Amino acid sequence: MAKVPNIPSAVVAASGLVGGYGVARWTKKRQLGGAVLAVAGAAAAQQWRQRAGGKAAGALTVAYVAAFAGSHPLAKKVGAWPAVLGVAGAVAVASWAVADRQA
C-alpha cells in the first residue's frame, strides 16, 4: 500500500466539501461532485479513526454529512459559496480540535 502524505484531516474534510460542490457546479454533474465528497469523506474518516479512535471518527463523520446536508438550506439564506465555505470551515475546526491537534 502506498504511503499517503501527512495531510491534516481538517484539510481533507474541508476540501471534500468545497471540492465536491465545485466539481458538481462546474461540471453540472451532481454525481461527480458526490463522488469527490464521498472519497474525501472516507479518507478523512480513516484519518479520524487512526488519530482519535472509532467514537470520534463516528461523530466527525456525522458532522461531515450534517454539514453537507445543512449547506443546502443555509445556501438559500446566504448563498451557495458562503454556505459551503462556512460548513467546510466548521468541519475543519471540529476535525482539528478532535483529531489533528494531538498529532
Side-chain angles (χ1 to χ4, degrees), residues 14 17 63-64 66-72 74 81-93:
L17 290 161
Y64 184 80
F68 166 70
S71 69
H72 293 82
L74 183 60
W81 277 113
V84 170
L85 294 173
V87 300
V91 168
V93 168

Side-chain angles (χ1 to χ4, degrees), residues 5-49:
N6 191 16
I7 299 170
S9 62
V11 173
V12 174
S15 296
L17 290 161
V18 173
Y21 174 69
V23 167
R25 180 174 176 136
W26 290 316
T27 65
K28 299 190 180 358
K29 297 187 186 302
R30 293 177 68 148
Q31 299 88 344
L32 192 55
V36 170
L37 179 82
V39 168
Q46 181 179 10
Q47 288 179 306
W48 294 329
R49 188 172 43 259

